[in-house]
């Protein structure tokens, strides 16, 4: 629960909220790439590429990175007005 609260605090901070990717990079650097890659069972090289901005995460991989924090992404669909759809 502490990890989840910490992560959510970073992305929902009223003064300086981070994006999900920024928060992940911040936390991974604090944990260490070796420890984090072991935690999510991912190659260290892939974690390093994400940290260095070389690799963008697909939704499935993002969920894998978010799993230790007890959160996941959700795809949502909403209605648009007929004017925008035309």
């Amino acid at each position: 629960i502490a990890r989840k609260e910490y992560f959510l605090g970073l992305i929902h901070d009223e003064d300086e909220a981070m994006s999900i990717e920024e928060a992940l990079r911040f936390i991974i650097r604090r944990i260490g790439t070796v420890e984090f890659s072991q935690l999510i069972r991912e190659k260290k090289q892939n974690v390093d590429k994400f940290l260095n901005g070389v690799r963008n995460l697909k939704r499935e991989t993002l969920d894998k990175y978010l799993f230790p924090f007890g959160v996941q992404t959700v795809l949502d669909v909403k209605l648009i007005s007929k004017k925008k759809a035309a």
Side-chain angles (χ1 to χ4, degrees):
I1 288 191
R3 279 190 226 169
K4 180 179 180 178
E5 291 173 357
Y6 185 68
F7 179 79
L8 292 176
L10 291 174
I11 63 172
H12 293 299
D13 185 273
E14 290 182 19
D15 296 326
E16 290 188 51
M18 293 181 174
S19 71
I20 292 170
E21 291 84 1
E22 289 171 332
L24 278 172
R25 287 182 177 107
F26 179 79
I27 293 173
I28 293 168
R29 285 187 177 102
R30 294 194 71 177
I31 293 173
T33 54
V34 172
E35 292 81 1
F36 187 76
S37 62
Q38 290 172 347
L39 183 65
I40 63 167
R41 295 186 174 134
E42 180 68 60
K43 293 179 183 177
K44 180 186 176 297
Q45 295 86 346
N46 291 339
V47 175
D48 286 334
K49 287 178 184 178
F50 169 68
L51 284 177
N52 295 324
V54 175
R55 182 177 187 208
N56 292 320
L57 302 178
K58 291 188 261 179
R59 185 169 171 227
E60 298 82 19
T61 309
L62 180 58
D63 283 339
K64 185 177 184 178
Y65 280 51
L66 292 172
F67 182 79
F69 308 103
V71 295
Q72 67 181 24
T73 59
V74 177
L75 182 63
D76 195 8
V77 177
K78 66 179 185 176
L79 296 174
I80 57 173
S81 69
K82 289 183 181 181
K83 289 180 184 178
K84 290 183 182 177

